[in-house]
Amino acid sequence: MPERKPKLFTRLPHFPKCMLGAILLFSLAGQLAAQNSVTSAISTADQKISPYVAQIIGYFDTSYELFSIEQRRRNQTSQDGSLGGAIAVPVTPYSDAQFDADWARVFPPNCGPSFNVVDFDVHYIERLDTTRIGGILGVLSNDGNSTWGGGIEMINPIPNLIQVNPFGWAGWNPGPQGFDQTLFINSAVLFAHTSDTNTDLFGGRVGFGWTPAPCCQFNTNFGLQHSSEKFFTGLTRSDTTFSWDVSAEVRVLETPWSVIGDYNFTHFSSTGRHANGFDLGLRYSFGETFLERETKGPAFASFTQLLGANYTF
């Protein structure tokens, strides 16, 4: 008889089928739990990132502007057509960067040769509760003459004050929401230097913005600038400029297009000259409402607007 070889493995014990099924179910449940844990972690990370991976807010616009310049009872006119825009990009959950760029073709008085005015500036803005505060760096080229500068700027919502006791005087306190989100005050201080004429400018501007309805916005601002032009050591010429401005922007039906109208007045104290400016434009906005522009969009004035109208005609 052939010799029987010993078996290497003994026979495994018999497992009931129900136990095998339970093992498979527990294994599948573990895999699903791990997958859900990963999905939950990704969702939580998305929620943490989403506050500043937000929609970019901005606009593009075009306009026509006419200046009536009066000096010693003589009237002259200057006009220009412009293209430009601004965008605000979130940097962190509590800060934004705003970029402005504008180009204008100016037709000066007395049928002089036309020239270009180009402006580019960048703003960095921090959001402190309801206040937006930041800085601006800008450069402007007027017919090849360059002006550069910077400043500090701020936007605040104006407190919505209501009477504490409607039936008698008891003082005023902030309203239930603390602030009226339809009314804002903006301010800026600026230093600028024009290299070709060796001129330094110091100035400030304060303004108010009001959005009574989602389809319209009104703005007004006041500016004061003092410039000093140095010819050589010991000989300088200075001038103080006062200006004010009112503007309105109205949405066209429920489209992203809006119509802009603006009037501005500028007075030069040293010469007695003053200028009246009239502006009509068309703007295309994206990713914003008028209120969003004030709270997280490109609401700050451009470098050209802070310098004043005299840098563009």
Side-chain angles (χ1 to χ4, degrees):
M1 295 180 62
E3 183 181 359
R4 297 182 62 183
K5 296 181 180 181
K7 291 185 179 180
L8 295 178
F9 302 99
T10 60
R11 186 176 179 181
L12 292 174
H14 176 71
F15 287 94
K17 293 183 178 180
C18 61
M19 186 176 293
L20 290 175
I23 293 173
L24 291 176
L25 285 175
F26 278 116
S27 176
L28 181 59
Q31 292 179 6
L32 289 175
Q35 184 176 358
N36 289 336
S37 177
V38 173
T39 304
S40 176
I42 294 174
S43 177
T44 303
D46 287 342
Q47 291 176 0
K48 292 181 179 179
I49 295 173
S50 61
Y52 64 93
V53 183
Q55 196 171 13
I56 294 176
I57 299 174
Y59 60 82
F60 301 105
D61 56 23
T62 180
S63 65
Y64 168 78
E65 190 166 22
L66 176 68
F67 285 101
S68 175
I69 307 166
E70 182 179 342
Q71 183 176 7
R72 297 175 182 176
R73 298 184 179 180
R74 293 183 57 188
N75 286 321
Q76 299 175 320
T77 59
S78 172
Q79 53 188 330
D80 66 77
S82 65
L83 293 170
I87 61 170
V89 181
V91 178
T92 72
Y94 307 104
S95 64
D96 307 289
Q98 175 181 328
F99 302 91
D100 302 88
D102 293 282
W103 168 86
R105 186 69 177 178
V106 180
F107 301 88
N110 302 322
C111 300
S114 60
F115 56 88
N116 295 320
V117 175
V118 181
D119 166 31
F120 178 78
D121 47 87
V122 59
H123 313 245
Y124 178 78
I125 306 123
E126 287 282 344
R127 293 195 294 272
L128 308 176
D129 195 13
T130 57
T131 299
R132 302 180 72 199
I133 184 169
I136 175 177
L137 293 174
V139 61
L140 177 139
S141 174
N142 183 321
D143 196 20
N145 300 322
S146 60
T147 300
W148 55 267
I152 301 173
E153 51 199 356
M154 183 168 56
I155 292 180
N156 290 86
I158 297 178
N160 178 21
L161 299 179
I162 62 171
Q163 196 170 355
V164 175
N165 182 359
F167 301 103
W169 175 254
W172 297 80
N173 281 337
Q177 295 181 348
F179 293 93
D180 183 354
Q181 293 292 333
T182 66
L183 191 59
F184 294 84
I185 181 171
N186 57 79
S187 56
V189 292
L190 179 77
F191 166 79
H193 177 77
T194 303
S195 56
D196 297 327
T197 57
N198 198 18
T199 301
D200 293 328
L201 178 142
F202 298 90
R205 187 167 294 271
V206 61
F208 301 89
W210 181 41
T211 309
C215 61
C216 60
Q217 185 178 57
F218 302 94
N219 292 278
T220 182
N221 64 78
F222 306 87
L224 184 67
Q225 292 91 15
H226 179 79
S227 60
S228 177
E229 182 178 357
K230 185 176 181 180
F231 297 99
F232 50 82
T233 303
L235 180 60
T236 60
R237 181 178 64 183
S238 62
D239 191 10
T240 301
T241 304
F242 170 76
S243 62
W244 60 273
D245 175 283
V246 291
S247 64
E249 182 176 354
V250 179
R251 282 280 167 89
V252 180
L253 301 178
E254 296 183 358
T255 70
W257 295 94
S258 57
V259 178
I260 310 166
D262 178 276
Y263 167 75
N264 59 79
F265 174 84
T266 306
H267 177 75
F268 304 87
S269 61
S270 63
T271 62
R273 182 177 63 159
H274 64 266
N276 297 280
F278 305 88
D279 187 286
L280 184 63
L282 186 65
R283 173 173 290 171
Y284 178 85
S285 303
F286 54 90
E288 68 171 13
T289 64
F290 288 143
L291 286 179
E292 286 175 338
R293 186 188 304 171
E294 298 292 340
T295 57
K296 57 183 178 181
F300 290 99
S302 68
F303 189 52
T304 303
Q305 292 171 325
L306 293 176
L307 289 173
N310 54 307
Y311 276 76
T312 57
F313 62 73

